[in-house]
Amino acid sequence: MASFKPTKVQFLPKLGEKVTEETLYWKNYKSPVQIKEFGAITKIDFSPLPPHNYAVTASTRIHIYGPHSQEPIRSFTRFRDTAYGGRFRGDGKLLVAGSEEGLIRLFDISGRVALRQFKGHSKAVHMTSFLSDGFRVVSGSDDLSCRVWDVPSAVELSSLTQHTDYIRALAPSKLNPDLFVTGSYDHTVKVFDMRSGSSVMTMQHGHPVECVLLYPSEVLLVSTGGRYVKVWDLLKGGQELVSLKNHHKTVTCACVSSVGNKLLTGSLDRHVKVYNSSYKVAHNFDCDASILSMAIAPDDEALAVGMTNGVLSVRHRRHQKDKETLTSRRRRGPSYQVFVKGKNFAPRQDDFLVSKPVKQYLRKYDKQLKSFEVSKALDTALQTWTRTSKPDVTVAVIIELNRRGTLKNALAGRNEERCFCVLFFRHIFDPRFSRPLLMVGDIVLDLYQQVFHESPVVERLLQRLMEVLGREAELQQELLQVLGILDTLFTSLTPRKEVACVKTLQSISVLKTTDLSQEKRKIYHIYFE
Amino acid sequence: MLYIYIYIYIYNIVRCGGSKVNLRPPIISTDSRFLLCASGDLVKVYSTRTEEWLHSLQGHTNQVTGIALNPANHLQVYSCSVDGTVKLWDFIDGILIKTFIIGYPLFAIYVSEKHEGVLFLHVSMATDSKNECFQLVAVHLPKSAEQEVEAKEMSVVSSHISSNPSCTAFGRGGEYIAFARHLQLNVYFFRKQKTCSFSLKATDKKGAKNAFTCIACHPTDDCIATGHEDGKIRLWRNFIHKKEYTYSTQHWHHNAVNTLCFTPEGTHLLSGGIESVLVQWQYGAGNRKEFLPRLGGSILHISVSSDGQLFCTSHSDNSKLLSFKCLFLPMLFMLSGDGVLTDLMIDPRSKALVLNGKPGHLQFYSLLRDKHLYNLDIVQQEYIYEAGLDQFEVVKAAFDIKGSWLATVEERGQKSSDLEFFLKLWAFDERTQSFVLNTTITAAHTDRIISMCFSSSKETTMLVTIAEDGQFKAWCQGADADTQQDQNFWSCDFVGSYHNLKPTNCSFSADSSLLAVSFQEVITIWSPETWEMLTTLCQPPGVIRDLCFGRLSCSKYLLGTTTRNLLCCWNLLTCALEWSSSVEVSKLQPDPLSENVAAFSYQSKHTDVFVFKPSEPRPLFTNKNVCSEKVHRAVFVPREEPLNNCDESSQWLNRSQLYFLTQNMDLLTFSTATEEDRILSSSKQLVIDDSVAVTPFYLLLGKHGQQQQKLNTQSHPAADKPQQPQGSVTIKELLHTPAHVLPAASVLCSMFVNSLLISNTGVQEEMDSEKEEEDSEEEMEACDSQQELRVQGSVDEVTLKLSKAQERELKRVRKTDFSWMAGLIDSKP
């Protein structure tokens, strides 16, 4: 006596991207926390010291947030005009920021008033940063100059005017205190050495540079600008390693994750893209406004994204612990205990094991099929949730009913509402599903030919179906034409051989056009009868 | 034991399984130890305990159509056959006791306790087969001593009865007989010598179909259960008075009821039909019933053992199931007869024969042990038992050379226009020792697959399929990059075609460096490494049917057969026709272990076998008129150990054995004389092994018996009495006879106690003599059964003859000491 064999749902290969460990890693972030700021967020910087607070520069303020706080734990508001580029020093105790008026201010984290003010720039300073020795500050300004300041004495050490347009990107080297990289709207990226006092390397990005970034090893340099992200190899004298064009608007910011040194880029097209080590997009974060700034915490604990509408969105990493608490809450009480009773028992060597028969759990439609309730089984399979998210299950049940020869019985005797849900099946052109679904359509048309006119809803639906069928038929026809053209090309390429290698063309699964047009004609016929 | 056609020299064509066992209901012996079923021209005896085939009762020359236990002696069985004879057998020893010649083809047999010496038989009276006209006749068996008796005393009980033997049944131990035909139920009362008939309308308002399909009578009550074509079961009562009969109707089956059976106590009624559900109705409890669903093919017959513990159902897929109340023992899946769609194949691992089994399954059948090993579920879908439903069936299967891959094709909708088929690839799992589904290819081709074969190299496995869409495709494991899957799935590697011709067959060479695909009249040779077409061979006209490469020393040849009665051999080095011969070859089968190729040719209504090497057109071995049907499936089965036959004409059988399946689905083979002896001896051994159970009693008595034997041999070293086999017949008999026919416990007890005592000589002698007497009795009985005739001749009345057990009991009783009785009598005044 065999047991009931459940309906086999055909496993279909997913056409989308492949699931790798990397995507799983990047998927493992909680849903973002949204914090509203006063204006567009131009810069986010994480403190290098734990607990890794972060400074958010927006409008005329710089707020410092704790890793899990929704309210700023400290704020610097003494700016007369828009503040730009708030950055921490390497020890996390000092913060430097530029402003629209050209003034550079230096703050102590615990204080409120600026410790130093560096005056000299004649135009807005968008980028400021400490050099890695911590005693000097470098700034890039819209007055085309790039200046280095001494922190203790608050005097200008040098001024470099080698760019021909606004400097909007700056990255100091962490290994060498005399080295920094600037990017400018004059489409160039320059590497400056304070020892020589001038630029030592110039790379042509080809677009106004919005952001430059050095990899932790400082061999690779990333510059973003326009729709392009370019990676340069500094050891090879600034040779372009790769040019990425994955965004469809200007790429405004980039950062490197601390686990695995993965590159992340944010763009005005509202996407944050994560690249794997071979610079293929591994993951994609969607945001609800254009992204201006982005930073990732050490150990990838949090990803903060600043947007033009002043919303700061912070995603925190989901930990194993969180998951456990989630599942433990779900665990049922004693019944589960009973269920796992004796699971840990280790049999001795000479014990004779008697295996318990595993109970077969059937899906609802399978239970109904087992008791030959075909119409109910079809209803179960056509429930909205199954129909939309698991069309393969619905189609499997339809195929099973057809195999049992009871599809017509199951489709017959439906009222307007239940008929409506049969017809409302949008997967009819998926080549994997079209055959059984066209068959269903055929049977429905046969069955309800007389009564279609009574229901305006169904009538409208049929009209739409007919339109879509017509469009699909045209498309198929075109595809066939292309196939024919390709065939001739292939035969002309291999003049003497009898075998035409058409393997590549096989992947284009072609519906029989005749089927479609017949279907269309049928609906037409009924509709205009 | 095995059906043998006598042929040339040492060759015999041996039938090995295959025939239908579901033609007539099987019977279970009274002690529930044996199951008998009619199969072809044999009656096969199976053990219900071990589920193994024990032996066959062989002697009929045509299809056996009925078997029935002899009501006078439950160790004997009657069988009737189309050849016009009824034979009486002792089924435990497999001895033919008597043959009654009736002279007409017989179609069923019925016996009843109340009618001793009378057999009821279905006889076909019509001379022309078109107008089927069956009669039920009572045949009085003549009491003659001869082994072959002509039974002439016949009386017709009824003419015009149904051809279906389940439409006739005895009621109440033989008081009446009920038989149904079309819409009429007749009951014949033997005492009153009259027939009552009741008829139903063909259809009623609801469209019921009332024709009778089967009938069963309650063993103690006056009640007849009838099954009908629309699935109704009617219980008829009070039918003694023609006018006042009543019936009640019960309906569960949705299609015709195939069989009905009451349990011996009459508490339950069992019914079965095409749904393959055994329904157990409680008698007298209205509609209360229990089900046993999904038993296999549709149920054709049900039989119940006399103690009501064991049900046996036989199914349309040639299987039998024994149900032991609740416990289920699937048993005796014999080679399914009809519906073999796949080729015969050999699983390279288990050396089992593989072909279609249950619907949607492949069965693995061990030829060495003649036993069904297991069924592999290919389709993995719920099978719906409904007449006329088009379901998936395995149509093609192929193994790779190591047995680690299996490819199957299942198909549905051959009859209707929309064909659905799947190509599945199964990997052998070492841990579970069975095949696990690896890849399912849904649209392998645009039309049905004609044939497929694996490459024969051990390193890489490649599958080539050819289909009616004019293409052949090569499938490899994990070569495709677009699927992005792990590397162990199969994907298409190459698609080839030749002038849009329909391919007919394909074959790999022994080292799989060449692939031959035949397209209609042209053979194309491809190199599987580069997928380059090397050459085409197309001289003789006619569509090519079969292809095979030469092996070993003949590897430079390619054989092909065409529909134009030509067998051609090509030389692949010169690309020229080496030789051709005009024979109509229906099947070409190469031996995987040698150069030999067997060809089956069908000419003037009989099949001939030729075995030859491709290097020379002269056959090694020819056997004309092997069977009268066409042979389309054949296979060489490698032997476990090669034989050492020096005879030139039998050398080709040394390494492997040739099995072939005829269109009647009989599996035949060639066997040598030595093999047959071995089979005979092994099967005898089996019977003995089976019948001696190791029980505490046996250990005790067996030891005793052995001691006895030892002593016997010591005391009578020169005695010419043959040695009893170990576990002597006495003990066997003692342990297996039911308790109520055994001598009183007091008799046995003394023996036990004696055996436990330390024996002195006096007791020893006494015991000896007793034992010897018993032994000699057994001896006598053995002679009895062997020379049954003579003994029967001396005993005039067959009915007076006591059974052996009864006889022995009498002797025992006579021997017991009644002295205490004498004392009692004496004490009486």
Side-chain angles (χ1 to χ4, degrees):
Chain A
M1 185 173 65
S3 56
F4 179 81
K5 288 172 199 157
T7 310
K8 210 169 43 171
V9 177
Q10 213 176 64
F11 172 78
L12 296 166
K14 275 196 185 134
L15 296 172
E17 59 207 70
K18 204 169 70 170
V19 176
T20 59
E21 247 176 65
E22 213 152 29
T23 48
L24 289 178
Y25 180 84
W26 289 107
K27 267 188 183 164
N28 201 13
Y29 278 95
K30 292 180 202 166
S31 47
V33 177
Q34 309 264 9
I35 301 165
K36 180 76 180 153
E37 288 287 342
F38 293 99
I41 298 162
T42 50
K43 180 74 190 169
I44 303 168
D45 191 33
F46 273 91
S47 159
L49 288 190
H52 303 304
N53 297 334
Y54 53 95
V56 177
T57 314
S59 180
T60 57
R61 288 149 206 250
I62 296 176
H63 289 298
I64 296 182
Y65 291 89
H68 291 287
S69 67
Q70 303 249 14
E71 295 293 317
I73 54 174
R74 192 161 296 281
S75 55
F76 304 99
T77 51
R78 301 284 171 92
F79 290 98
R80 254 165 255 141
D81 213 332
T82 317
Y84 292 115
R87 267 205 200 186
F88 284 103
R89 195 165 81 166
D91 58 359
K93 282 179 181 155
L94 293 180
L95 184 88
V96 68
S99 69
E100 184 68 42
E101 67 225 347
L103 215 60
I104 300 161
R105 290 181 177 85
L106 186 83
F107 298 96
D108 183 14
I109 290 295
S110 49
R112 205 168 259 276
V113 189
L115 290 178
R116 298 276 188 281
Q117 289 200 348
F118 307 115
K119 287 179 197 163
H121 282 297
S122 57
K123 278 186 180 169
V125 179
H126 277 262
M127 278 291 153
T128 55
S129 182
F130 285 97
L131 288 176
S132 62
D133 57 5
F135 306 123
R136 285 177 292 175
V137 166
V138 63
S139 62
S141 163
D142 285 357
D143 62 4
L144 316 183
S145 71
C146 188
R147 299 179 193 210
V148 181
W149 312 82
D150 184 39
V151 172
S153 59
V155 294
E156 186 187 314
L157 294 180
S158 66
S159 171
L160 308 156
T161 316
Q162 296 198 337
H163 282 293
T164 54
D165 207 337
Y166 299 163
I167 298 166
R168 287 290 168 89
L170 191 140
S173 157
K174 287 214 172 71
L175 303 177
N176 189 339
D178 293 319
L179 222 60
F180 62 91
V181 185
T182 57
S184 157
Y185 276 8
D186 63 359
H187 302 193
T188 57
V189 176
K190 285 183 191 283
V191 181
F192 288 99
D193 193 343
M194 284 304 294
R195 291 164 294 194
S196 68
S198 67
S199 81
V200 289
M201 211 181 272
T202 303
M203 278 86 70
Q204 283 294 331
H205 181 80
H207 292 269
V209 180
E210 294 283 351
C211 176
V212 288
L213 178 75
L214 276 167
Y215 265 80
S217 64
E218 302 198 349
V219 171
L220 299 181
L221 173 71
V222 180
S223 64
T224 71
R227 293 165 61 194
Y228 292 89
V229 176
K230 293 195 174 177
V231 182
W232 312 89
D233 192 341
L234 292 182
L235 286 189
K236 282 187 185 166
Q239 191 184 340
E240 185 184 310
L241 194 71
V242 70
S243 172
L244 306 168
K245 193 184 157 191
N246 292 97
H247 290 281
H248 58 265
K249 278 187 184 169
T250 307
V251 185
T252 51
C253 50
C255 62
V256 168
S257 77
S258 47
V259 177
N261 291 340
K262 300 292 181 318
L263 178 68
L264 289 91
T265 57
S267 149
L268 292 178
D269 65 359
R270 306 180 198 180
H271 293 295
V272 175
K273 297 207 189 258
V274 183
Y275 301 86
N276 62 13
S277 42
S278 54
Y279 296 105
K280 291 263 158 61
V281 176
H283 192 67
N284 188 22
F285 293 103
D286 288 347
C287 295
D288 29 351
S290 302
I291 296 160
L292 284 182
S293 58
M294 175 177 65
I296 191 157
D299 297 328
D300 302 350
E301 282 304 311
L303 176 71
V305 177
M307 283 167 278
T308 46
N309 59 357
V311 173
L312 170 73
S313 131
V314 186
R315 286 159 216 259
H316 287 281
R317 219 176 152 61
R318 193 179 285 135
H319 286 280
Q320 206 62 38
K321 238 186 280 166
D322 305 339
K323 254 187 201 167
E324 265 169 28
T325 51
L326 261 179
T327 49
S328 67
R329 216 176 298 148
R330 243 180 254 159
R331 185 183 293 165
R332 272 179 245 140
S335 61
Y336 182 71
Q337 294 297 322
V338 173
F339 183 65
V340 296
K341 194 178 166 188
K343 274 275 161 75
N344 302 328
F345 176 75
R348 259 171 269 143
Q349 200 171 17
D350 45 353
D351 279 356
F352 184 76
L353 291 177
V354 181
S355 57
K356 216 167 90 182
V358 183
K359 207 195 162 202
Q360 188 190 16
Y361 290 96
L362 294 177
R363 301 246 164 223
K364 196 176 171 194
Y365 55 83
D366 270 334
K367 277 182 196 156
Q368 281 155 342
L369 280 175
K370 192 181 176 185
S371 48
F372 292 90
E373 294 168 322
V374 285
S375 198
K376 278 187 189 169
L378 187 63
D379 279 346
T380 315
L382 280 171
Q383 275 169 355
T384 324
W385 184 81
T386 326
R387 206 175 55 200
T388 49
S389 61
K390 285 192 170 173
D392 44 344
V393 171
T394 312
V395 171
V397 171
I398 289 172
I399 291 172
E400 172 70 16
L401 288 174
N402 181 42
R403 185 180 72 86
R404 289 173 174 227
T406 48
L407 184 58
K408 202 165 182 174
N409 297 3
L411 284 169
R414 285 171 179 270
N415 56 18
E416 187 190 78
E417 205 173 310
R418 288 167 74 201
C419 193
F420 179 77
C421 83
V422 173
L423 279 173
F424 194 72
F425 209 108
R426 58 178 77 157
H427 295 274
I428 200 156
F429 299 119
D430 194 329
R432 302 170 295 182
F433 303 139
S434 61
R435 215 170 141 176
L437 290 180
L438 282 177
M439 185 171 61
V440 167
D442 219 19
I443 294 173
V444 167
L445 292 183
D446 279 346
L447 281 172
Y448 298 102
Q449 207 166 4
Q450 309 302 325
V451 293
F452 270 139
H453 300 284
E454 292 164 21
S455 161
V457 184
V458 174
E459 215 168 327
R460 210 175 312 133
L461 212 63
L462 273 179
Q463 198 170 15
R464 222 178 78 197
L465 188 65
M466 190 179 68
E467 279 168 25
V468 176
L469 277 171
R471 228 179 297 145
E472 182 68 17
E474 274 169 31
L475 192 74
Q476 295 291 341
Q477 212 158 4
E478 272 171 40
L479 268 176
L480 278 179
Q481 281 171 0
V482 172
L483 209 67
I485 295 165
L486 284 175
D487 260 348
T488 35
L489 278 177
F490 273 112
T491 39
S492 62
L493 277 174
T494 50
R496 289 276 157 179
K497 291 238 167 101
E498 281 88 351
V499 194
C501 177
V502 286
K503 195 202 151 193
T504 46
L505 294 178
Q506 271 179 0
S507 50
I508 310 168
S509 62
V510 179
L511 270 174
K512 280 183 188 158
T513 345
T514 48
D515 274 9
L516 276 168
S517 48
Q518 263 175 16
E519 190 80 15
K520 189 188 155 196
R521 210 172 301 138
K522 201 161 187 181
I523 296 175
Y524 188 82
H525 192 68
I526 291 162
Y527 192 68
F528 293 102
E529 219 167 32
Chain B
M1 186 142 303
L2 295 156
Y3 199 86
I4 299 166
Y5 295 95
I6 305 293
Y7 271 112
I8 348 161
Y9 315 121
I10 55 164
Y11 289 101
N12 301 312
I13 290 153
V14 180
R15 184 172 291 191
C16 40
S19 314
K20 274 189 180 180
V21 290
N22 55 11
L23 185 75
R24 290 290 182 258
I27 51 176
I28 304 171
S29 67
T30 324
D31 54 0
S32 310
R33 278 175 56 210
F34 299 101
L35 180 78
L36 291 96
C37 43
S39 158
D41 42 13
L42 312 172
V43 177
K44 289 188 171 176
V45 182
Y46 295 89
S47 160
T48 55
R49 217 173 302 156
T50 60
E51 303 165 13
E52 297 223 18
W53 166 74
L54 296 178
H55 53 248
S56 301
L57 310 177
Q58 165 231 325
H60 283 293
T61 54
N62 207 331
Q63 178 76 47
V64 176
T65 48
I67 42 176
L69 285 178
N70 186 357
N73 185 345
H74 64 264
L75 298 177
Q76 293 177 346
V77 67
Y78 285 111
S79 68
C80 71
S81 158
V82 185
D83 62 4
T85 58
V86 175
K87 292 186 193 247
L88 182 65
W89 311 84
D90 180 337
F91 61 82
I92 293 179
D93 300 323
I95 299 161
L96 177 64
I97 299 170
K98 219 164 185 183
T99 306
F100 304 99
I101 298 164
I102 311 291
Y104 299 101
L106 308 172
F107 293 96
I109 187 167
Y110 306 95
V111 290
S112 158
E113 286 166 33
K114 291 232 169 119
H115 308 275
E116 273 180 28
V118 180
L119 295 176
F120 294 88
L121 297 160
H122 269 193
V123 178
S124 166
M125 281 303 166
T127 41
D128 53 332
S129 56
K130 281 274 169 88
N131 188 7
E132 277 198 9
C133 176
F134 290 93
Q135 285 189 343
L136 183 70
V137 294
V139 177
H140 296 268
L141 298 177
K143 294 169 182 96
S144 159
E146 292 166 58
Q147 194 163 13
E148 284 202 8
V149 201
E150 219 166 306
K152 287 190 171 161
E153 210 178 318
M154 279 194 275
S155 57
V156 176
V157 178
S158 167
S159 48
H160 294 291
I161 58 158
S162 162
S163 62
N164 185 354
S166 57
C167 279
T168 309
F170 274 99
R172 236 172 148 176
E175 266 187 25
Y176 57 87
I177 185 164
F179 41 91
R181 185 168 185 264
H182 298 317
L183 292 161
Q184 195 167 36
L185 171 72
N186 299 303
V187 184
Y188 179 80
F189 296 96
F190 287 102
R191 199 174 293 159
K192 291 189 229 163
Q193 301 265 320
K194 78 166 202 194
T195 312
C196 292
S197 58
F198 315 95
S199 53
L200 294 167
K201 280 181 192 159
T203 53
D204 57 13
K205 283 170 199 162
K206 289 172 185 169
K209 288 177 275 180
N210 283 331
F212 288 91
T213 52
C214 57
I215 194 163
C217 295
H218 195 276
T220 51
D221 220 355
D222 270 336
C223 174
I224 301 173
T226 57
H228 297 268
E229 224 165 64
D230 55 354
K232 285 202 183 85
I233 295 172
R234 286 193 170 86
L235 291 169
W236 302 72
R237 291 194 179 81
N238 213 6
F239 42 80
I240 297 161
H241 314 288
K242 193 169 186 244
K243 293 279 159 68
E244 293 159 22
Y245 73 92
T246 57
Y247 64 75
S248 58
T249 312
Q250 287 167 340
H251 198 171
W252 183 86
H253 294 277
H254 70 71
N255 230 320
V257 183
N258 275 346
T259 177
L260 281 170
C261 181
F262 275 103
T263 54
E265 291 87 16
T267 50
H268 291 99
L269 172 66
L270 302 166
S271 68
I274 194 174
E275 304 90 351
S276 190
V277 182
L278 181 66
V279 188
Q280 189 175 341
W281 307 79
Q282 242 176 52
Y283 179 69
N287 223 6
R288 201 180 296 167
K289 54 197 174 287
E290 287 167 49
F291 305 104
L292 273 177
R294 288 182 281 277
L295 295 178
S298 62
I299 298 177
L300 295 182
H301 312 288
I302 304 170
S303 39
V304 187
S305 71
S306 57
D307 54 357
Q309 292 288 309
L310 217 55
F311 304 151
C312 182
T313 56
S314 68
H315 298 265
S316 57
D317 57 354
N318 218 16
S319 67
K320 284 197 193 315
L321 285 175
L322 273 182
S323 96
F324 195 75
K325 277 293 179 199
C326 262
L327 215 134
F328 242 87
L329 311 163
M331 123 164 202
L332 313 175
F333 272 100
M334 271 147 281
L335 280 172
S336 297
D338 30 325
V340 175
L341 301 164
T342 59
D343 267 338
L344 295 181
M345 284 164 303
I346 294 298
D347 175 19
R349 277 174 196 268
S350 61
K351 302 279 181 290
L353 184 71
V354 180
L355 68 166
N356 287 107
K358 275 178 14 183
H361 289 63
L362 276 185
Q363 65 170 333
F364 287 67
Y365 186 92
S366 167
L367 286 166
L368 287 167
R369 287 183 285 153
D370 195 20
K371 197 181 173 187
H372 170 85
L373 296 179
Y374 66 96
N375 266 320
L376 179 68
D377 188 359
I378 301 291
V379 174
Q380 296 182 333
Q381 271 176 346
E382 179 74 2
Y383 191 79
I384 308 296
Y385 294 98
E386 199 181 307
L389 194 61
D390 197 4
Q391 307 215 45
F392 277 104
E393 196 49 84
V394 186
V395 289
K396 296 277 176 316
F399 282 97
D400 79 331
I401 198 154
K402 285 183 290 184
S404 49
W405 289 99
L406 165 68
T408 58
V409 176
E410 64 207 52
E411 225 177 66
R412 179 182 166 265
Q414 291 98 320
K415 290 146 212 161
S416 60
S417 56
D418 52 334
L419 179 82
E420 284 178 67
F421 61 93
F422 295 111
L423 173 65
K424 284 182 177 173
L425 285 136
W426 305 74
F428 189 79
D429 186 12
E430 291 284 349
R431 201 171 51 78
T432 55
Q433 290 291 307
S434 69
F435 285 93
V436 182
L437 184 62
N438 180 279
T439 313
T440 308
I441 299 161
T442 45
H445 284 271
T446 51
D447 210 340
R448 63 184 301 188
I449 293 173
I450 300 167
S451 165
M452 60 183 178
C453 64
F454 270 101
S455 74
S456 39
S457 78
K458 296 212 170 180
E459 289 81 41
T460 54
T461 44
M462 182 188 284
L463 178 73
V464 169
T465 55
I466 56 170
E468 279 178 357
D469 58 0
Q471 288 177 331
F472 76 88
K473 289 192 185 183
W475 306 86
C476 274
Q477 208 188 339
D480 203 0
D482 0 308
T483 51
Q484 290 188 353
Q485 294 292 342
D486 292 341
Q487 289 300 294
N488 28 9
F489 292 106
W490 288 70
S491 53
C492 186
D493 186 43
F494 179 72
V495 183
S497 60
Y498 182 79
H499 288 307
N500 264 342
L501 287 173
K502 206 165 90 177
T504 52
N505 215 325
C506 60
S507 172
F508 270 102
S509 68
D511 56 351
S512 62
S513 60
L514 293 176
L515 168 71
V517 183
S518 59
F519 289 93
Q520 299 288 9
E521 299 170 3
V522 185
I523 303 172
T524 54
I525 310 279
W526 303 75
S527 151
E529 267 127 51
T530 56
W531 288 118
E532 210 177 338
M533 191 164 70
L534 300 175
T535 181
T536 54
L537 310 167
C538 51
Q539 207 186 2
V543 176
I544 288 152
R545 227 184 242 159
D546 228 330
L547 274 180
C548 85
F549 277 94
R551 284 172 184 279
L552 304 173
S553 63
C554 304
S555 60
K556 60 175 179 173
Y557 301 104
L558 170 70
L559 287 166
T561 61
T562 66
T563 48
R564 289 278 191 92
N565 305 350
L566 268 180
L567 173 64
C568 322
C569 179
W570 301 85
N571 190 332
L572 293 174
L573 299 178
T574 57
C575 287
L577 192 64
E578 191 83 4
W579 52 267
S580 71
S581 134
S582 101
V583 261
E584 155 91 55
V585 177
S586 61
K587 175 76 189 168
L588 209 59
Q589 184 67 36
D591 183 358
L593 294 178
S594 65
E595 301 96 331
N596 301 325
V597 176
F600 292 87
S601 88
Y602 184 73
Q603 265 164 346
S604 57
K605 298 209 170 170
H606 58 79
T607 297
D608 306 333
V609 178
F610 303 96
V611 179
F612 59 93
K613 284 184 185 177
S615 52
E616 47 184 330
R618 194 180 59 83
L620 287 171
F621 165 78
T622 320
N623 195 341
K624 298 245 174 192
N625 201 355
V626 171
C627 56
S628 53
E629 301 101 18
K630 237 179 185 175
V631 173
H632 279 296
R633 296 180 174 88
V635 73
F636 273 99
V637 183
R639 287 181 198 277
E640 281 197 326
E641 48 199 48
L643 295 181
N644 291 319
N645 262 337
C646 312
D647 191 351
E648 199 188 320
S649 60
S650 71
Q651 265 174 354
W652 64 280
L653 276 173
N654 278 356
R655 306 200 58 182
S656 39
Q657 205 172 353
L658 179 65
Y659 285 82
F660 51 97
L661 200 65
T662 63
Q663 270 181 337
N664 273 10
M665 298 303 165
D666 285 332
L667 188 72
L668 306 176
T669 185
F670 288 94
S671 78
T672 56
T674 48
E675 260 184 308
E676 230 152 77
D677 293 345
R678 210 187 60 220
I679 291 166
L680 280 172
S681 60
S682 70
S683 59
K684 282 236 169 92
Q685 191 62 42
L686 213 106
V687 177
I688 293 161
D689 285 349
D690 174 61
S691 54
V692 182
V694 180
T695 59
F697 273 99
Y698 164 73
L699 289 175
L700 198 63
L701 286 173
K703 201 170 72 185
H704 176 73
Q706 279 166 7
Q707 274 174 7
Q708 202 69 44
Q709 277 173 23
K710 219 185 286 169
L711 283 169
N712 275 348
T713 47
Q714 277 164 8
S715 53
H716 314 286
D720 55 345
K721 195 180 91 172
Q723 279 295 313
Q724 288 291 338
Q726 168 255 22
S728 70
V729 191
T730 329
I731 291 153
K732 204 172 82 188
E733 196 75 31
L734 193 74
L735 289 171
H736 286 286
T737 37
H740 62 275
V741 297
L742 269 183
S746 57
V747 182
L748 283 171
C749 185
S750 63
M751 242 168 74
F752 271 123
V753 173
N754 279 332
S755 74
L756 293 172
L757 292 174
I758 302 154
S759 57
N760 59 31
T761 44
V763 178
Q764 184 65 53
E765 268 175 20
E766 201 183 289
M767 285 291 295
D768 246 337
S769 63
E770 198 183 47
K771 194 73 193 172
E772 260 176 39
E773 204 170 71
E774 242 177 54
D775 284 355
S776 61
E777 261 178 50
E778 289 303 322
E779 278 295 300
M780 250 177 63
E781 275 171 25
C783 294
D784 255 282
S785 51
Q786 278 157 10
Q787 309 163 341
E788 198 77 32
L789 254 186
R790 223 173 300 146
V791 180
Q792 273 189 351
S794 66
V795 185
D796 281 347
E797 286 293 314
V798 185
T799 46
L800 268 182
K801 198 189 160 217
L802 293 163
S803 76
K804 289 158 198 168
Q806 282 171 321
E807 259 178 39
R808 195 169 60 243
E809 194 192 355
L810 265 180
K811 277 185 187 173
R812 282 268 165 73
V813 172
R814 242 178 274 145
K815 240 186 289 166
T816 30
D817 195 0
F818 289 108
S819 53
W820 54 277
M821 284 280 281
L824 269 179
I825 292 158
D826 282 356
S827 67
K828 259 192 172 177

